Amino acid sequence: MDDQYQPAKVEREAREHWDANATFQAPEDPSREKFYCLSMFPYPSGRLHMGHVRNYTIGDVITRFERMRGRNVLQPMGWDAFGLPAENAAMANGVPPAQWTYDNIAYMKDQLRALGFALDWSRELATCHPEYYRWNQWLFLRMLEQGIAYKKSGVVNWDPVDQTVLANEQVIDGRGWRTGAVVEKREIPMYYLAITRYADELLEALDDLPGWPPQVKTMQANWIGKSHGVRFAFPYELDGEPGKLWVFTTRADTIMGVTFCAVAAEHPLAERAARDDPELAAFIDECKRGGVAEADLATIEKKGMPTGLQVTHPLTGEPVDVWVGNYVLMGYGDGAVMAVPAHDERDFEFALKYGLPIRQVIDVPGETFSDTEWRPWYADKERGVCVNSGKYDGLAYVEAVDAIAADLAAQGLGEKRVQYRLRDWGVSRQRYWGCPIPIVHCESCGDVPVPDDQLPVVLPEDCVPDGHGNPLARREDFIATSCPSCGGPARRETDTMDTFVDSSWYYARYCCRDNDAAMTDARVDYWMPVDQYVGGIEHAILHLLYSRFWTRVMRDTGLVKCDEPFTNLLTQGMVVAETYYREEAGKKTFFNPADVEVRRDDKGKVTGAVARADGQPVVVGGIEKMSKSKNNGVDPQALVERYGADTVRLFTMFAAPPEQSLEWSDSGVEGASRFLKRLWTLASAWREAVAELNGGDAPAPADEGDAQPLRHEIHGVLQQALNDYGRYQFNTVVSACMKLLNLLGGLEPAGPPWHARVVHEGLAILLRLLAPVAPHVTHHLWRELGYGDEILEAGLPEVDPAALERDEIELVVQVNGKLRSQIRVPADSGRDAIEAAARGDANVRRFTEGKEVRKVIVVPGRLVNLVVVDAA
RNA sequence: GCCGGAGUGGCGAAAUUGGUAGACGCAGGGGACUCAAAAUCCCCCGGUGGCGACACCGUGUCGGUUCGAGUCCGACCUCCGGCACCA
């Protein structure tokens, strides 16, 4: 055994051992309890970043822990390989996205291997492989047959200079990121998936996911946004024709307070009115400027303009003005809303701004109404009662809605309706590097699905995007084809699918990725659902909701048997680090933490920082998510080379619990490295003694000298660590390992023989506890000390209940809830004995003297609280 | 704007169900070893007062419930994630 811990050597040998034995290839074995552990697959961006390292370390610790528990564990890995960054890289370097992507995959795969993850590489997949994405296309065709996939128009960001569609990310302050041109909203035909058909099921089933974080379920429920309301119409007559302006409201009880209606800029009424009104036409054009992202639309200044048109209030018969509002969206409901300024805050502000009437129709007794200042009770449907509402006066929310809905229904002008905020999923992208949508356009037959036997529609891999539209649209060899229906000349669809499609079902394909005849097979039924899914909180809604939807479509198509893809979900926090910069002429130049030296005062508090290069000060800019733009990323590669994978994994698990954000600290890594060195040194010092004990019969637990209190502590720490493993709180597992090492560090190889027996037992516990976190060094030491060949098969250490027993326990004594003393009592003391001991304690007496003890609270095993008052 | 989350020593954090606030580690201070440095080992380490035993204060802010609140309730402040074409 080397005297010095040499991580590179230890880790290489361990990996060679695992590779040679195919240790992590997971067979389908119905006789064993399976555990499918999955981390969100990476986008092959070039190099691993710390977020990847953290994500995959968490997944790996769970994988190895569950395996040591005896389960048949599968942990696969693959590549979310289609996407925008590959096109951007292509524009920057002139390299085809395919080549850039494959190069990145090769590089990042080596990086993943160097971290020692227990991955079954035989199942590796990449979504840009035709063998994978053909099944996107195949299931898309099934969805077309079922009517789940359909075509309608949708709104996109249009860059008028580059003549191209932009992603929301590429729109900065309403302008194209490359051209700086003001972006326009443009309507184009797109394919949609009817996720709303499953809205109710996706919502209801959240209750059956106890293994998901409650906040994720809340976010999904709010996203689906089920609401009960009334859809009704304002009749009108225009150009001699009768029409109806349909709106939806959850506050039908306020309908008598409607003083105007607002429609979206794209609404037919708005467009009709703009024909005769150049000023309105200009306003509508203004509304169409800017991007389509909801966050932007929701924060813009609310603007409007009257159309000059009027509709009729369905209950009062009064005329109601119709306005165009830039905050009304054509994509939501009917693209029109009723406005009740008195009882909706947004309408209230709009009415004040444009001098529109405000009519109070809800009252709360004891409150006074002001038509110049908004008060929250105006929208209170719990306490509100109808007023100024004719026959509805005096009705509360529920009764008023019922009565009004009934009256509207009687006229054929409305009905109660359940509405969802969730919209159908638009999957068409006007982009090259994605899965082709399997449709052929024929002049005589229209849009024709590609027959199954002609799948996959293969994406040519040699295109280089240039920022001007989709290069696929210029590839005649791809586009020109014949119509599957009539055989005549036809053209292929050049839109590709949203990359969320690729990631909506990869977890199922890992189970059967070599099947080229079917999307899934019986192996999927063995492994699915995923038992533990691990990934970033930023995917809490979209990716996870799409996956839940896709699983249900697969279920209804007979492809899987489960309803939900992920039984348990762990959402890990971000990796963040300090930022440093200098500012010149309003432009910030960021310095990497590695190039900065931090200055501290004599208490260790940070007072400033200087650049290593020139010794001149830099600004300490605050903690931010690691990113290229802030230049605060720490390269995992360099750390692994310097300290070894075990140290990086150990620090990553120790610095914060998985769900919290993790602040990077170089000196913290040093600390982790120090711990492993100390472990090595201790194992090295005891190697002979422990190996000798391992060579004979299992030694009895030591009980001489101070062995008993020591074993009591060791098993107490073990109990806590096993519990923390069970709740996936790995930072305190690591801290338990550190405590164990500290305990064993007090023993001497030259000391009495029981020392060796405690170390033998303690190391057997410590190494197995640490094995999931630091697999290489524990693998090595386990063998070196003669415990066995394979620590992964050694099972988890078990708590010895006898070691935890105590004759005496310590209790805290409080007086009026304040800590005053501690007492030792026999473990089996009754309430009376404990109370007597507490009252008799000298320091307690100082606080009870001359007072009356009103009440004594005894919390078994914890504390005694004496409640005293001044004697009367 | 809307939805979700988080705030505890100089720093990362711990406190499992309302029961000893600060485990474990980092940084810092002191010491040992060394010609010296590095490495390693030992001691101290929330604030204020006290020689000390101890006492008072302290978990973003303000208020409440309770014998007892970091933990529960209400209001507020700050920061972070998501908002449907970044992944």
Side-chain angles (χ1 to χ4, degrees):
Chain A
M1 183 175 176
D2 295 317
D3 288 345
Q4 293 268 310
Y5 171 44
Q6 295 176 37
K9 182 178 163 196
V10 167
E11 293 180 1
R12 189 183 61 244
E13 285 173 7
R15 281 198 300 275
E16 282 167 4
H17 171 85
W18 296 326
D19 284 346
N21 292 284
T23 307
F24 304 121
Q25 272 187 35
E28 289 77 28
D29 180 354
S31 72
R32 295 177 62 201
E33 190 188 351
K34 68 96 182 177
F35 190 91
Y36 185 177
C37 185
L38 181 68
S39 289
M40 291 181 185
F41 62 170
Y43 179 79
S45 54
R47 295 169 73 85
L48 288 188
H49 54 66
M50 272 301 162
H52 292 129
V53 173
R54 188 182 195 194
N55 195 160
Y56 303 141
T57 303
I58 293 167
D60 201 52
V61 170
I62 295 170
T63 293
R64 289 170 180 271
F65 173 72
E66 294 295 340
R67 177 174 182 142
M68 288 182 75
R69 248 182 175 178
R71 293 179 172 151
N72 184 28
V73 186
L74 166 63
Q75 185 183 222
M77 183 52 74
W79 308 94
D80 187 14
F82 277 136
L84 201 52
E87 299 202 11
N88 294 338
M91 280 187 256
N93 311 320
V95 178
Q99 190 194 323
W100 183 84
T101 301
Y102 292 130
D103 287 351
N104 289 348
I105 287 174
Y107 189 84
M108 290 170 77
K109 186 172 176 181
D110 281 346
Q111 290 191 301
L112 287 175
R113 284 182 175 279
L115 280 155
F117 297 133
L119 294 165
D120 183 350
W121 283 106
S122 73
R123 297 168 183 268
E124 179 183 7
L125 59 80
T127 56
C128 62
H129 289 152
E131 311 88 77
Y132 181 82
Y133 66 69
R134 72 175 292 177
W135 302 109
N136 287 359
Q137 298 172 340
W138 183 83
L139 194 64
F140 179 83
L141 297 173
R142 301 291 84 72
M143 291 192 204
L144 274 177
E145 291 161 4
Q146 298 168 44
I148 293 173
Y150 66 94
K151 204 175 187 182
K152 70 168 182 182
S153 83
V155 189
V156 294
N157 304 304
W158 180 255
D159 185 321
V161 173
D162 268 350
Q163 296 279 299
T164 197
V165 175
L166 297 178
N168 284 339
E169 189 191 47
Q170 297 172 315
V171 179
I172 296 157
D173 295 331
R175 293 169 181 274
W177 66 332
R178 277 155 51 88
T179 63
V182 173
V183 165
E184 299 165 9
K185 298 180 186 72
R186 178 172 279 211
E187 281 196 62
I188 58 169
M190 303 207 290
Y191 283 95
Y192 282 81
L193 304 183
I195 190 173
T196 51
R197 275 201 201 178
Y198 290 86
D200 230 14
E201 193 191 337
L202 289 167
L203 181 66
E204 297 295 324
L206 290 172
D207 292 338
D208 306 326
L209 287 173
W212 279 42
Q215 66 271 25
V216 173
K217 291 190 278 187
T218 305
M219 280 192 266
Q220 292 220 346
N222 291 340
W223 185 262
I224 294 167
K226 184 177 187 174
S227 60
H228 298 268
V230 175
R231 182 175 182 257
F232 71 98
F234 293 83
Y236 62 86
E237 206 181 281
L238 184 60
D239 304 328
E241 297 280 326
K244 286 177 182 170
L245 176 65
W246 286 95
V247 301
F248 175 85
T249 179
T250 57
R251 291 302 305 271
D253 58 320
T254 66
I255 199 169
M256 301 304 273
V258 169
T259 55
F260 65 99
C261 286
V263 300
E266 296 86 357
H267 194 279
L269 279 185
E271 288 176 348
R272 168 64 189 83
R275 274 202 321 221
D276 316 319
D277 184 346
E279 210 181 329
L280 183 64
F283 177 69
I284 288 174
D285 274 348
E286 189 191 321
C287 291
K288 287 180 179 172
R289 283 209 288 271
V292 300
E294 188 187 308
D296 297 333
L297 294 169
T299 47
I300 54 169
E301 190 193 351
K302 310 284 175 286
K303 285 187 186 171
M305 184 171 274
T307 60
L309 303 176
Q310 289 187 324
V311 292
T312 307
H313 192 291
L315 296 179
T316 66
E318 287 173 16
V320 173
D321 289 337
V322 178
W323 283 58
V324 176
N326 66 348
Y327 59 94
V328 185
L329 300 175
M330 199 57 215
Y332 295 112
D334 295 287
V337 294
M338 70 173 198
V340 183
H343 304 290
D344 178 281
E345 190 169 4
R346 237 173 30 171
D347 293 344
F348 187 86
E349 282 166 17
F350 194 87
L352 282 188
K353 179 170 179 176
Y354 291 104
L356 295 162
I358 296 170
R359 185 186 302 158
Q360 182 193 1
V361 292
I362 299 290
D363 195 29
V364 169
E367 303 280 6
T368 46
F369 188 86
S370 151
D371 60 6
T372 53
E373 189 196 341
W374 175 261
R375 291 173 188 151
W377 70 263
Y378 296 173
D380 187 342
K381 63 182 177 190
E382 309 296 325
R383 297 189 294 154
V385 176
C386 291
V387 292
N388 305 327
S389 299
K391 63 188 274 205
Y392 309 112
D393 278 356
L395 296 182
Y397 174 71
V398 174
E399 298 82 60
V401 170
D402 284 348
I404 286 166
D407 288 347
L408 288 167
Q411 299 180 57
L413 285 176
E415 58 186 359
K416 278 194 174 179
R417 180 183 272 223
V418 171
Q419 181 162 290
Y420 298 91
R421 206 186 76 94
L422 181 68
R423 311 198 297 264
D424 279 344
W425 175 13
V427 294
S428 294
R429 296 291 178 272
Q430 298 69 48
R431 266 182 246 301
Y432 156 65
W433 189 234
C435 167
I437 293 177
I439 295 287
V440 164
H441 303 290
C442 170
E443 284 211 3
S444 39
C445 308
D447 297 344
V448 183
V450 174
D452 289 356
D453 60 10
Q454 289 175 31
L455 296 183
V457 176
V458 176
L459 183 75
E461 293 198 343
D462 55 356
C463 287
V464 182
D466 59 7
H468 302 276
N470 182 352
L472 212 49
R474 303 191 286 268
R475 283 291 292 253
E476 266 312 306
D477 59 336
F478 174 78
I479 295 170
T481 186
S482 53
C483 172
S485 179
C486 69
R491 301 179 69 74
R492 285 194 191 281
E493 171 66 51
T494 58
D495 279 1
T496 54
M497 293 184 198
D498 180 3
T499 55
F500 274 124
V501 170
D502 309 323
S503 55
S504 288
W505 70 283
Y506 72 108
Y507 47 87
R509 188 62 182 174
Y510 279 135
C511 307
C512 62
R513 75 127 211 203
D514 56 3
N515 189 337
D516 56 11
M519 188 169 182
T520 60
D521 59 36
R523 292 174 292 177
V524 176
D525 297 329
Y526 175 74
W527 291 112
M528 285 296 294
V530 171
D531 295 278
Q532 182 64 56
Y533 197 32
V534 183
I537 183 70
E538 66 272 20
H539 294 294
I541 297 175
L542 292 179
H543 162 61
L544 291 168
L545 192 62
Y546 291 146
S547 296
R548 297 180 62 221
F549 160 66
W550 197 278
T551 295
R552 285 172 167 79
V553 174
M554 288 202 291
R555 176 199 64 194
D556 294 345
T557 313
L559 294 162
V560 296
K561 294 198 165 76
C562 53
D563 298 327
E564 289 287 343
F566 314 121
T567 305
N568 294 288
L569 175 68
L570 191 158
T571 51
Q572 116 251 7
M574 295 176 306
V575 182
V576 297
E578 190 62 79
T579 56
Y580 305 96
Y581 66 88
R582 278 189 196 142
E583 196 162 2
E584 262 177 63
K587 204 186 157 204
K588 286 178 180 171
T589 310
F590 284 91
F591 288 71
N592 193 272
D595 304 326
V596 165
E597 209 174 294
V598 172
R599 294 281 154 87
R600 295 168 188 279
D601 64 15
D602 53 9
K603 281 190 168 177
K605 192 174 184 175
V606 173
T607 54
V610 298
R612 284 188 207 279
D614 57 13
Q616 295 302 303
V618 293
V619 180
V620 181
I623 308 278
E624 304 252 15
K625 179 178 178 172
M626 281 189 181
S627 71
K628 266 186 193 153
S629 60
K630 298 280 162 55
N631 192 17
N632 63 340
V634 174
D635 183 18
Q637 181 89 23
L639 286 166
V640 170
E641 281 165 15
R642 179 157 173 205
Y643 295 101
D646 282 341
T647 292
V648 174
R649 294 170 58 121
L650 185 73
F651 171 72
T652 308
M653 291 302 96
F654 179 58
E659 309 208 301
Q660 279 180 37
S661 64
L662 182 157
E663 189 179 326
W664 194 259
S665 149
D666 286 336
S667 51
V669 181
E670 289 281 355
S673 171
R674 222 157 19 226
F675 168 73
L676 292 182
K677 279 185 203 158
R678 284 176 56 214
L679 173 64
W680 184 275
T681 305
L682 182 119
S684 179
W686 288 96
R687 197 192 75 88
E688 272 181 49
V690 170
E692 196 183 315
L693 285 169
N694 276 324
D697 295 336
D703 62 354
E704 50 283 53
D706 290 327
Q708 280 191 10
L710 202 50
R711 290 192 69 240
H712 179 83
E713 286 201 71
I714 289 171
H715 283 269
V717 171
L718 170 60
Q719 188 172 44
Q720 173 240 312
L722 289 174
N723 185 55
D724 289 345
Y725 255 128
R727 58 190 182 124
Y728 293 167
Q729 186 167 305
F730 306 123
N731 54 327
T732 47
V733 169
V734 173
S735 120
C737 291
M738 290 172 169
K739 281 184 199 170
L740 287 176
L741 186 66
N742 290 344
L743 289 171
L744 300 180
L747 299 170
E748 292 283 342
W754 66 265
H755 281 204
R757 282 161 50 213
V758 171
V759 170
H760 174 262
E761 184 185 11
L763 271 179
I765 290 170
L766 170 53
L767 290 176
R768 281 179 290 169
L769 277 182
L770 190 60
V773 179
H776 307 87
V777 68
T778 50
H779 165 85
H780 181 95
L781 293 177
W782 190 255
R783 293 161 73 97
E784 191 73 46
L785 298 182
Y787 285 110
D789 287 337
E790 190 62 81
I791 193 169
L792 276 163
E793 309 303 333
L796 293 173
E798 284 172 22
V799 174
D800 177 2
L804 291 181
E805 277 171 23
R806 291 243 102 164
D807 299 336
E808 270 199 328
I809 55 169
E810 203 163 79
L811 291 178
V812 157
V813 186
Q814 296 179 336
V815 178
N816 284 345
K818 290 204 170 215
L819 174 66
R820 294 304 177 192
S821 190
Q822 288 170 7
I823 52 171
R824 293 184 70 85
V825 294
D828 55 1
S829 298
R831 211 193 135 91
D832 291 347
I834 289 170
E835 190 180 324
R839 282 174 183 259
D841 181 90
N843 202 45
V844 171
R845 279 178 143 164
R846 286 177 50 207
F847 291 90
T848 53
E849 212 105 279
K851 307 215 171 156
E852 182 195 342
V853 178
R854 272 272 173 88
K855 199 169 167 187
V856 179
I857 290 141
V858 178
V859 182
R862 286 203 177 263
L863 60 71
V864 183
N865 187 17
L866 305 176
V867 184
V868 303
V869 290
D870 288 326

